[in-house]
Amino acid sequence: MNIMKGHLMAGLLFRCLLCCLLAASLQASAAEEQISLNFVNADVGEVIKAVSQITKRNFLVDPRVKGTINIVSATPIPASLAYDTLLSALRLQGFAAVESNSVTKVMPEADAKLYIPNLSNRGNGDKLVTRVFMLHHESAVQLVPILRPLIAPNNIVVAYPNNNALVVTDYASNLKRIEEIVATLDQAQTAETVVIPVKYASAMDIAQTINHLMLDGSVVAAGSTDASQRFMLASDGRTNSLLLKTESAARIARVKELAARLDIQTSAPGNIHVVYLKNAEATALALTLRSVLSGDTQAAAAPATSLASSATAMPGSMTQTTKNGAAPTGGGMIQADAATNSLIITAPEAIYNNLRAVIEKLDVRRAQVYVEALVVEVTAAKAAEFGVQWQSLNGLNGGGAQLIGGTNFGTTGQNIIGAAASIASVGTGLNIGIANGTTTLPSGLKVINLGMLARALETDANTNILSTPNLLTLDNEEAKIIVGQNVPFITGSYAQTGSTATATPFQTIDRKDVGLTLSIKPQISQNGAIKLQIYQEVSSVDQTTLTNPGGVTTNKRSLASTVMIDDGKIIVLGGLIQDSLSDSRDKVPLLGDIPVLGTLFRYNTRQHSKTNLMIFIRPFVMRDAHAYQGYTQDRYEYLRGEEGNAKMPLGFAVPDVPAPALPPLN
């Protein structure tokens, strides 16, 4: 009893407190200041200034906000509504207000969306608000054209396909309506999948026939924005059944009726079917299917050359026809028609249905692989020579015993003997000599009486070679590119006399490719990685051996490897880092060892060369047309730019000849 009294007293006190708060609220509302807003053709800046004084708000007005405003209130309104009334008036004039850091910015409506401080689910009236709607069932891209007419022209609605979201910036009052529309449209699909079993015919053939019939009859495909027109029909080879998905009961009945009429048993024991392939090669696929039926694995592994030879067999050859068209032990016959890229299959329905399931899985569009190879070679070579040589030939033409002699170091172009015989043979660098006329050799040849030759030379050579061969090939297909020259190599020579006494020389020549060679064979795995079989070769002719009687010498750098690499990544295949240093000294015994003075009896040569050679590779998987179009556009525009850079300048004395130019790719 006491407990009940306590509850009654608590309830009574709560009601009293509620009444007091309600009375205080009514009194405060009654005490709120009432104002009358009457502006006729008033300047927008003056109206904003008046509202600022009433609401105690700070306004920042864009200089582009100009014009007049008309606001008429027949009866006084609370002062708290003055700000909302101003927003509505600004909206009618194409202006908007954005609140940021206790400052209200007034600017043209088209720019206001750029200054909204953050996402907000709050706001009402004519405040600009940005909302993100996450869709769970419908496509955000397809909803954009539906919502666009419902949003102010200067405001935005965009779709983000990655997470199926809509981003909308509009007035808060309108966003409430947009929210209701989005919630109504974003509903789960009610279409169910109907399974139609097929007993006699092939479900894949029936699905293909009905799809052609229904789609040609103006039925929209599964990607249509009209839900009532969505239609998708597929086949399941394992169960030989049709899978139908649509929201139209009439179409379900229509497909079932067509399937029943097509699924009938034929009287012929073996049916002949023609299957047109979309991507695979009929000749190769026929060989594979025959080996599946016969169990002959060697036929499936036959090289491509055997297929090419069978395709070029003479018409009417009974032996060839019997070999290709022989019935496998499995009870069917498969023949390829290369002209139409189709298969002719003669087999019972059960076997044909199994073959059709295999064909559907093999006759798919194969991905392509675009490979960029980078061959980088950086070579730095430094060399230095310095030496002094002496020679005395004065006594060469005198009578009796005479003394001649001197020092002679280096090869032709470096030694003093070669310089005395021909001054033109002196090599590059600084050469200083002392000559005393000429001297006649016993053979009658006159040479320069060169008494002293001082030679100094320093060379510094840097080489940077970058080769970037590119290749595009199908998955599991080998591709090769060669950029270079076809150089002749002498392999033998002999002389033949024939009926004449004079022998006629004869040489045998073998030509070989010298340059850059890239050969690849890619294999794409399911996780996106690429297995690459690569052969890379860079060869060149040694220019110093062009006059060699034994033939020219070629420099060759080659690499053969098999690697695994992810799509779009760069991997180094290999390379060479070589650093060589040589220091040689020619000198006169004893005299060349004397400090300082010994320099006059020595010839020093130093060489330092460093070679860095690296080979990199980067593959890209291209599964559709959009993938390779980007790379084609990039390479095409690059070549157009190079053509523009190579344009010849206008000449005064020669006519202007326009160079051929690539047309725009599009």
Side-chain angles (χ1 to χ4, degrees):
M1 197 66 180
N2 292 332
I3 295 175
M4 293 181 62
K5 289 182 179 180
H7 283 298
L8 291 174
M9 292 297 294
L12 183 60
L13 290 174
F14 178 78
R15 291 187 183 91
C16 293
L17 181 60
L18 184 61
C19 292
C20 293
L21 292 176
L22 183 59
S25 177
L26 292 174
Q27 184 177 1
S29 299
E32 185 176 356
E33 181 182 0
Q34 301 289 317
I35 61 173
S36 296
L37 297 178
N38 291 290
F39 298 99
V40 179
N41 293 330
D43 182 73
V44 63
E46 296 298 330
V47 177
I48 294 175
K49 182 177 180 181
V51 174
S52 174
Q53 295 176 353
I54 295 173
T55 60
K56 307 303 181 184
R57 289 177 177 267
N58 298 320
F59 286 88
L60 183 61
V61 183
D62 191 284
R64 294 171 293 177
V65 177
K66 297 178 181 180
T68 58
I69 292 180
N70 293 303
I71 301 177
V72 178
S73 58
T75 59
I77 61 173
S80 58
L81 296 180
Y83 179 65
D84 294 335
T85 304
L86 175 64
L87 295 183
S88 300
L90 291 174
R91 179 178 177 180
L92 295 176
Q93 299 295 324
F95 305 126
V98 178
E99 298 178 3
S100 176
N101 298 328
S102 69
V103 175
T104 303
K105 302 176 182 178
V106 182
M107 63 190 71
E109 187 182 58
D111 297 339
K113 56 181 174 289
L114 305 176
Y115 295 89
I116 298 177
N118 48 38
L119 296 178
S120 176
N121 292 329
R122 298 176 297 175
N124 50 48
D126 295 316
K127 292 182 180 179
L128 276 179
V129 180
T130 297
R131 288 280 305 277
V132 177
F133 298 96
M134 304 298 299
L135 304 183
H136 303 285
H137 306 288
E138 283 295 328
S139 170
V141 177
Q142 295 177 359
L143 283 185
V144 169
I146 298 175
L147 300 178
R148 178 67 267 181
L150 306 177
I151 295 174
N154 289 326
N155 295 331
I156 61 170
V157 52
V158 293
Y160 183 62
N162 288 355
N163 60 354
N164 199 33
L166 283 172
V167 180
V168 184
T169 297
D170 203 4
Y171 295 99
S173 58
N174 193 40
L175 276 180
K176 294 180 180 179
R177 181 179 61 151
I178 298 299
E179 182 179 6
E180 295 177 359
I181 295 174
V182 171
T184 303
L185 297 177
D186 189 26
Q187 300 292 332
Q189 299 294 334
T190 59
E192 297 182 358
T193 302
V194 180
V195 180
I196 305 174
V198 179
K199 186 176 181 181
Y200 303 107
S202 170
M204 298 179 185
D205 290 341
I206 293 180
Q208 185 177 6
T209 302
I210 296 179
N211 273 323
H212 282 303
L213 179 62
M214 301 291 284
L215 295 180
D216 291 343
S218 71
V219 175
V220 188
S224 171
T225 57
D226 188 352
S228 63
Q229 296 295 315
R230 289 176 182 166
F231 173 84
M232 183 169 61
L233 180 65
S235 60
D236 179 45
R238 188 180 65 85
T239 61
N240 196 37
S241 57
L242 299 174
L243 304 177
L244 172 64
K245 186 174 183 180
T246 181
E247 295 184 4
S248 174
R251 287 195 178 83
I252 295 177
R254 178 60 175 165
V255 172
K256 287 184 177 180
E257 179 185 359
L258 290 174
R261 292 184 178 183
L262 295 174
D263 185 24
I264 58 176
Q265 188 174 10
T266 59
S267 58
N271 297 328
I272 300 178
H273 305 271
V274 178
V275 181
Y276 293 96
L277 302 181
K278 301 176 182 178
N279 301 283
E281 183 182 353
T283 307
L285 186 56
L287 189 64
T288 302
L289 295 177
R290 290 193 205 108
S291 63
V292 170
L293 290 179
S294 63
D296 185 5
T297 58
Q298 295 181 355
T305 53
S306 62
L307 298 178
S309 61
S310 64
T312 57
M314 292 295 294
S317 175
M318 295 301 296
T319 304
Q320 187 69 26
T321 305
T322 304
K323 181 179 179 181
N324 288 344
T329 58
M333 185 176 68
I334 305 170
Q335 181 65 39
D337 182 46
T340 59
N341 196 39
S342 59
L343 297 175
I344 304 173
I345 302 176
T346 303
E349 290 296 334
I351 297 178
Y352 172 71
N353 292 337
N354 291 333
L355 291 176
R356 281 287 294 170
V358 175
I359 293 173
E360 288 295 323
K361 293 182 179 180
L362 296 181
D363 186 26
V364 296
R365 175 168 177 162
R366 296 166 62 184
Q368 300 183 101
V369 178
Y370 177 76
V371 177
E372 291 182 343
L374 293 91
V375 183
V376 185
E377 182 175 356
V378 180
T379 303
K382 296 183 179 181
E385 300 177 19
F386 181 77
V388 179
Q389 303 174 59
W390 303 88
Q391 192 71 46
S392 176
L393 300 177
N394 291 327
L396 188 62
N397 298 322
Q402 300 292 332
L403 178 64
I404 63 172
T407 60
N408 186 41
F409 302 123
T411 60
T412 303
Q414 295 176 331
N415 55 47
I416 193 171
I417 296 297
S422 174
I423 194 66
S425 66
V426 180
T428 58
L430 176 63
N431 299 276
I432 301 176
I434 299 177
N436 185 17
T438 60
T439 300
T440 304
L441 298 178
S443 61
L445 177 66
K446 289 186 177 181
V447 298
I448 301 174
N449 189 2
L450 193 60
M452 186 271 291
L453 176 65
R455 174 175 168 80
L457 172 65
E458 182 176 351
T459 61
D460 189 353
N462 296 309
T463 305
N464 185 3
I465 301 175
L466 174 62
S467 302
T468 57
N470 303 327
L471 271 179
L472 177 65
T473 182
L474 284 174
D475 184 24
N476 278 322
E477 293 291 341
E478 184 178 358
K480 185 177 182 180
I481 183 174
I482 300 176
V483 181
Q485 295 177 318
N486 193 255
V487 180
F489 291 86
I490 299 176
T491 58
S493 62
Y494 62 93
Q496 57 182 2
T497 57
S499 60
T500 61
T502 304
T504 303
F506 185 83
Q507 293 179 334
T508 58
I509 296 176
D510 184 18
R511 289 185 171 272
K512 295 183 179 180
D513 294 325
V514 176
L516 188 146
T517 302
L518 173 63
S519 177
I520 61 169
K521 184 178 181 181
Q523 181 180 353
I524 305 173
S525 60
Q526 292 184 351
N527 59 358
I530 306 169
K531 179 183 177 183
L532 286 175
Q533 298 179 15
I534 306 165
Y535 178 76
Q536 175 84 47
E537 178 182 312
V538 180
S539 57
S540 61
V541 176
D542 189 352
Q543 299 297 322
T544 60
T545 62
L546 293 178
T547 59
N548 190 353
V552 298
T553 302
T554 58
N555 303 317
K556 180 179 178 180
R557 299 178 177 90
S558 64
L559 181 145
S561 179
T562 302
V563 297
M564 184 72 73
I565 180 175
D566 292 332
D567 180 19
K569 303 299 182 181
I570 297 179
I571 190 173
V572 59
L573 299 180
L576 169 69
I577 299 178
Q578 183 179 13
D579 195 350
S580 61
L581 177 65
S582 64
D583 186 1
S584 62
R585 175 181 295 182
D586 297 334
K587 64 180 180 179
V588 177
L590 299 178
L591 295 178
D593 297 328
I594 300 175
V596 182
L597 186 61
T599 306
L600 301 178
F601 302 95
R602 290 196 303 264
Y603 196 91
N604 298 325
T605 303
R606 290 183 180 179
Q607 292 183 347
H608 181 206
S609 62
K610 186 173 183 179
T611 302
N612 294 292
L613 172 65
M614 288 294 167
I615 301 176
F616 302 87
I617 202 163
R618 175 169 59 181
F620 297 93
V621 177
M622 300 179 178
R623 301 188 183 276
D624 50 30
H626 297 287
Y628 61 77
Q629 283 177 355
Y631 293 100
T632 303
Q633 178 80 26
D634 177 70
R635 296 290 90 187
Y636 197 87
E637 294 301 330
Y638 170 77
L639 287 180
R640 291 191 67 196
E642 290 298 311
E643 280 188 342
N645 297 334
K647 184 178 180 181
M648 294 182 293
L650 296 177
F652 175 75
V654 294
D656 183 23
V657 180
L662 288 171
L665 186 60
N666 295 328

